[in-house]
Each structure stands twice: as C-alpha cells, then as structure tokens.
Amino acid sequence: GEPHIGDMVRCADPTDATRWLVARVIGTGGDRIEYVDGQLRINGFRVSTAGCLRNPRKVLDATGADQDMGCYSEELGGSKHDLQFAPNGTIANAEWKVEAGKLFLMSDNRSAPFAHDSREPEVAQRPIEECTQRLVVRLMSKVGWGDSERRMTFLF
C-alpha cells in the first residue's frame, strides 16, 4: 500500500541522484502541516510529544566539531518514535499545504543544518511513487550518526 503518516520511507534524493533521502511521512495530499515554536501540527492538531530517557547523541556539525543532540519522543501515525534536536539549530515557524499525490517528509533530526527534508525548497514535497519503500529498521554505528566513516558500512 501507499505510505502513511508516521512511516519512514526511502526516496530518491532530488539534490543528488546517487543518494537516497530517508525521512518520515508527516503529511499526505490535502494535509496542512504547521511548525510553530518547535511544535508540529497536522491539520490543526498538535502532535503529542514527550521527553526521552536517552543521553544526548554526538554528531559532527558543519565545522567538524562535536554537537550534542537532545532527544524527545513524538507520537505519529499510531506509533512513537524518537527525534533529535540541536539546541542552537532552531527552525523557523512555517506552514505548508501538501499537494495531491505528494508526501511531506521530515527528518527525525529536526534541527538545522542536519535535517534534509520537505522543509527545504530544493527537496520539497516528494511524489508518492518515488517513496514506496518503507523502512522497518534504521541502523547506525555504535558511535552514533556522527561516525561518518562507518555509519553506512557493513553490519559486521
């Protein structure tokens, strides 16, 4: 079936044909998505959030320095998932209307400059037919996403 709100999907990255875009479906055709003061709303309803029990993760910022990423949990599409945020990576308030036949995608890392999703004009809303592969498991190095040397290598 088609991807639903809350699903993680894999789509072709419109900014680089050799890469994939992996993001969470936030809205489908006709939905109104709002991001106001750090809070996500879909069709006027605030998405439920809670704190995480996890310690902050370390990632490399644009300068190559370590950045601590905080965590919170979001309930979307009937399931809970963890999100990351950078304390200094605020996101401007915005609103989007999802076009028919398209998906609005957001990264589980909602902070700039780490996010790469439909909030960026060059990525925009993706056609459903580009994003039919749903992800069941996401993998990362035991060091975390900041381990750019190994995060996309073998599991062994």
Side-chain angles (χ1 to χ4, degrees):
E2 292 183 353
H4 294 91
I5 291 176
D7 288 345
M8 277 297 256
V9 294
R10 181 178 92 157
C11 316
D13 185 335
T15 64
D16 183 348
T18 66
R19 298 179 60 157
W20 296 101
L21 172 69
V22 175
R24 193 165 302 279
V25 177
I26 301 297
T28 58
D31 286 339
R32 190 178 87 241
I33 310 300
E34 298 172 274
Y35 205 81
V36 179
D37 298 329
Q39 179 62 58
L40 178 64
R41 294 180 183 161
I42 302 172
N43 297 323
F45 292 96
R46 187 175 67 83
V47 174
S48 177
T49 59
C52 272
L53 300 176
R54 238 190 328 210
N55 291 328
R57 290 183 177 158
K58 292 209 180 283
V59 297
L60 298 177
D61 68 14
T63 68
D66 279 342
Q67 169 84 43
D68 283 334
M69 300 293 285
C71 176
Y72 66 96
S73 174
E74 181 176 80
E75 187 172 338
L76 192 61
S79 63
K80 290 183 180 180
H81 55 275
D82 291 344
L83 302 171
Q84 295 181 65
F85 66 93
N88 60 352
T90 58
I91 300 167
N93 293 346
E95 182 177 333
W96 305 267
K97 180 77 171 178
V98 184
E99 299 171 29
K102 299 212 175 163
L103 300 173
F104 189 89
L105 306 171
M106 288 180 87
S107 169
D108 280 353
N109 182 342
R110 301 278 168 85
S111 302
F114 304 103
H116 183 62
D117 57 35
S118 294
R119 293 172 289 167
E120 299 175 344
E122 61 272 14
V123 176
Q125 299 174 35
R126 307 307 318 145
I128 290 174
E129 58 271 7
E130 280 186 16
C131 307
T132 57
Q133 294 179 321
R134 286 187 240 174
L135 281 77
V136 177
V137 176
R138 287 184 0 192
L139 302 173
M140 71 176 82
S141 162
K142 65 181 176 181
V143 181
W145 282 111
D147 183 10
S148 60
E149 297 297 317
R150 298 199 51 199
R151 68 178 174 205
M152 300 306 262
T153 59
F154 295 101
L155 301 176
F156 308 102

